């Protein structure tokens, strides 16, 4: 079953399309409710997308600053005239730990985009359910006028 067929089934299950023929007040009320929901959902997704992009940008800036700190820690171990192996080992371990934390932060930000935000943004596209509901509402309004 295609995505469009699944979406159509979802709409058919929630909205009785045969009521559109008689243009009953119940059908009009349901269409208004769907339209309001679609508008709210669209606004929420756009807000989530904007917040997610801002978070991603802030995360990248934060990671860049931490990378600078890690590089400076590494530089400290290299300039020491004593070349104490324990200090070098501890600083190297700290550098590795901080880099691993930053890799995790980057991965987290990317996963948020891929798993949550991008699929929701797809619902705002031409084949998305939100667009289909709005299009159906416009067609209904055109037919009724």
């Amino acid at each position: 079953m295609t995505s469009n067929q699944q979406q159509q089934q979802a709409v058919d299950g929630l909205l009785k399309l045969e009521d559109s023929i008689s243009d009953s007040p119940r059908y009009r009320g349901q269409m208004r409710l769907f339209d309001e929901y679609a508008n709210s959902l669209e606004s929420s997704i756009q807000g989530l997308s904007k917040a997610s992009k801002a978070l991603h940008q802030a995360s990248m800036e934060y990671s860049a600053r931490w990378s600078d700190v890690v590089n400076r820690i590494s530089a400290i171990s290299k300039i020491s005239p004593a070349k104490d192996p324990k200090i070098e080992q501890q600083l190297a371990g700290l550098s590795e730990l901080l880099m691993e934390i930053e890799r995790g932060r980057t991965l987290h930000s990317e996963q948020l985009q891929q798993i949550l935000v991008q699929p929701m943004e797809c619902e705002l596209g031409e084949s998305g359910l939100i667009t289909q509901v709005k299009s159906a509402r416009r067609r209904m309004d055109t037919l009724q006028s």
Side-chain angles (χ1 to χ4, degrees):
M1 182 177 297
T2 67
S3 176
N4 285 342
Q5 288 172 330
Q6 289 174 335
Q7 290 174 347
Q8 188 61 44
Q9 270 188 333
V11 170
D12 289 343
L14 297 173
L15 187 65
K16 303 229 181 287
L17 296 180
E18 52 274 357
D19 287 346
S20 68
I21 297 169
S22 64
D23 195 25
S24 69
R26 178 176 177 264
Y27 178 76
R28 285 182 184 219
Q30 285 180 321
M31 280 301 292
R32 257 192 268 30
L33 182 67
F34 273 98
D35 193 39
E36 289 169 7
Y37 172 70
N39 288 332
S40 280
L41 186 58
E42 180 180 34
S43 178
S44 295
I45 291 172
Q46 288 170 342
L48 173 65
S49 178
K50 184 178 177 181
S52 173
K53 287 175 185 171
L55 175 64
H56 182 69
Q57 181 63 34
S59 178
M60 297 308 286
E61 290 171 10
Y62 188 77
S63 290
R65 293 185 195 278
W66 266 109
S67 292
D68 184 43
V69 168
V70 169
N71 290 336
R72 291 176 188 272
I73 290 171
S74 294
I76 289 171
S77 68
K78 292 175 184 168
I79 62 171
S80 173
K83 297 285 185 191
D84 184 352
K86 286 184 181 180
I87 291 175
E88 283 185 39
Q89 184 181 16
Q90 288 175 344
L91 290 175
L94 178 61
S95 293
E96 283 182 38
L97 176 66
L98 293 173
M99 291 305 282
E100 187 61 33
I101 289 170
E102 291 314 308
R103 278 192 290 275
R105 184 184 330 283
T106 300
L107 182 62
H108 179 258
S109 180
E110 290 170 357
Q111 286 178 338
L112 175 67
Q113 283 293 111
Q114 293 171 357
I115 295 171
L116 179 66
V117 177
Q118 289 174 352
M120 291 183 117
E121 287 176 333
C122 285
E123 290 302 319
L124 299 178
E126 281 189 38
S127 63
L129 186 59
I130 294 170
T131 304
Q132 290 180 9
V133 168
K134 287 182 161 205
S135 176
R137 174 63 190 231
R138 282 192 299 273
R139 282 194 310 267
M140 184 185 82
D141 289 343
T142 301
L143 291 172
Q144 290 176 345
S145 34

